[in-house]
Amino acid sequence: MKCKDLLSIADLSKADIEEIFHATTELKEWHNKGYDEKCLNGKILGMIFEKSSMRTRVSFEVAMIQMGGHAIYLTQSDINLGKREAVKDGARVLSRYVDGIVIRTFGQETIQELSRYATVPVINALSDYLHPCQALTDMYTIKEKFGTYTQAKIVFIGDGNNVARSLAQICAKLDVHFHIASPKGYELTPDFISRTKQMTDGNEVIHLYQDPKKAAENAQVIYTDTWVSMGQEAEKEVRQQAFAGFQINNDILKLAKDDVKVMHCLPAHRGEEITDEVIDGPHSIVYDQAENRLHVEKALLKLLLRK
Ligand code: CP
Ligand code: NVA
């Protein structure tokens, strides 16, 4: 991997993504045999979380411990980045203590500023705009289930949000078609779509739909996420009305391929974007997907922190 940081899938080349997947497979196989490579012996990861997290926080912390390192969890009430002190001062000082920084925050620009002034690798653990660690894991999981990602019809039904953007970007990087159905006003924007197209050889890989049923036809993967992301709680009622009809339920699954796989980054809001019968049913791969966060992040840490 050539880049110092992982701020966005846009920073990665196809070769970088394949290198991460290769390392993931090796680390996962070793882990399942009961052995974890101690390649981060003595390394320390600073983890800044300004929003809630279960999967991201725990998987990064477990990854560091299993690889011989250590992680320090820093909430907003601990460091109050950008308020108690400037982001650039936080970046410069943390870089003198730790070997890498993971950050979950609101603005993508905060992560970019942190990266500009940090001399150690910075990993985006979710912003309002992007969730690259999730997208890497999602595509790794698709490859694991299908043997390849290129032939799967991937359909996202829901908000054109951080998770959808990063998934669209990784599809573009790998020349995979990405189908997305969103209610009016919640689509991926034309500006985002044209910038994503520039990541391809000029191919249209993003296909927009307003009708989730049309998008779901012959889908091999159906993916959804919450209708109300962290920070949007005040819009909850308006969003729930706008997204009614975009639920992943058995009626939607009937339109897809018989062996369709259902994905969700979690946390799920059962009865809203996904029904109990679907998330608990035979098509759901959401827990394998969640497990893979650990293995993919181990690969990322190995590739970035040992430079
Ligand atoms: N999918 C995901 O990032 O989960 P957390 O918000 O629990 O970290
Ligand atoms: N879109 C969701 C993803 C949570 C992992 C959010 O930002 O809250």
Side-chain angles (χ1 to χ4, degrees):
M1 254 173 97
K2 287 198 193 69
C3 46
K4 164 186 158 277
D5 305 309
L6 175 63
L7 310 187
S8 163
I9 296 293
D11 301 337
L12 302 176
S13 65
K14 186 174 181 186
D16 291 332
I17 296 169
E18 282 168 353
E19 187 183 6
I20 295 166
F21 289 176
H22 181 75
T24 302
T25 301
E26 275 185 357
L27 290 161
K28 185 172 178 177
E29 279 173 9
W30 279 117
H31 179 77
N32 289 342
K33 285 181 190 154
Y35 173 81
D36 285 295
E37 210 184 306
K38 302 292 177 202
C39 55
L40 296 183
N41 234 335
K43 299 274 187 200
I44 300 178
L45 184 69
M47 304 201 308
I48 304 170
F49 277 77
E50 298 182 350
K51 290 179 175 181
S52 304
S53 171
M54 196 266 262
R55 278 143 291 274
T56 311
R57 184 252 163 113
V58 177
S59 54
F60 268 112
E61 195 162 334
V62 168
M64 285 305 289
I65 296 167
Q66 288 182 348
M67 294 199 291
H70 186 82
I72 303 172
Y73 179 61
L74 300 161
T75 65
Q76 193 61 344
S77 63
D78 295 309
I79 58 172
N80 210 359
L81 195 66
K83 297 195 181 73
R84 186 163 180 261
E85 64 187 315
V87 172
K88 60 176 155 186
D89 286 336
R92 285 167 174 153
V93 175
L94 271 177
S95 296
R96 294 181 183 221
Y97 298 145
V98 300
D99 302 287
I101 302 171
V102 160
I103 176 164
R104 170 170 287 198
T105 187
F106 294 84
Q108 180 72 14
E109 54 293 344
T110 303
I111 303 181
Q112 275 157 350
E113 190 179 354
L114 191 78
S115 131
R116 208 160 37 248
Y117 293 98
T119 55
V120 297
V122 172
I123 299 175
N124 178 354
L126 179 146
S127 68
D128 291 344
Y129 197 61
L130 296 171
H131 197 0
C133 297
Q134 184 68 53
L136 282 166
T137 304
D138 298 338
M139 211 43 120
Y140 181 81
T141 307
I142 289 170
K143 187 165 180 254
E144 198 176 46
K145 298 289 173 190
F146 290 91
T148 170
Y149 30 72
T150 46
Q151 273 133 39
K153 181 181 176 192
I154 302 171
V155 178
F156 188 101
I157 296 182
D159 194 9
N161 63 11
N162 44 9
V163 170
R165 283 187 208 100
S166 287
L167 201 52
Q169 288 184 336
I170 200 164
C171 284
K173 289 278 175 175
L174 297 173
D175 263 321
V176 174
H177 290 270
F178 180 70
H179 304 259
I180 175 165
S182 313
K184 213 167 161 20
Y186 298 94
E187 306 98 333
L188 295 177
T189 62
D191 177 50
F192 173 82
I193 293 170
S194 86
R195 275 184 289 118
T196 307
K197 187 175 171 183
Q198 287 163 20
M199 294 177 200
T200 71
D201 297 330
N203 303 327
E204 301 283 357
V205 291
I206 301 180
H207 308 279
L208 299 183
Y209 303 75
Q210 285 190 349
D211 180 358
K213 294 197 180 81
K214 195 95 204 117
E217 280 172 10
N218 295 317
Q220 280 153 305
V221 173
I222 295 190
Y223 196 123
T224 191
D225 181 20
T226 183
W227 297 336
V228 188
S229 285
M230 291 180 278
Q232 298 172 337
E233 290 77 8
E235 300 168 35
K236 187 171 176 181
E237 275 175 29
V238 178
R239 284 178 162 267
Q240 281 177 335
Q241 278 174 19
F243 283 90
F246 284 75
Q247 184 186 65
I248 308 304
N249 51 37
N250 276 342
D251 289 340
I252 285 280
L253 292 200
K254 279 187 199 131
L255 302 166
K257 291 267 192 209
D258 291 344
D259 59 349
V260 62
K261 309 279 184 228
V262 174
M263 300 181 75
H264 192 309
C265 57
L266 303 177
H269 304 78
R270 289 164 172 260
E272 293 182 25
E273 75 273 7
I274 193 162
T275 58
D276 284 324
E277 54 191 0
V278 169
I279 195 168
D280 296 329
H283 297 283
S284 169
I285 56 166
V286 302
Y287 307 108
D288 292 343
Q289 183 187 355
E291 179 195 324
N292 279 339
R293 292 290 305 274
L294 172 65
H295 307 298
V296 169
E297 286 155 15
K298 272 185 174 165
L300 269 178
L301 291 167
K302 179 179 174 184
L303 293 169
L304 290 173
L305 265 56
R306 295 199 318 166
K307 275 190 179 164

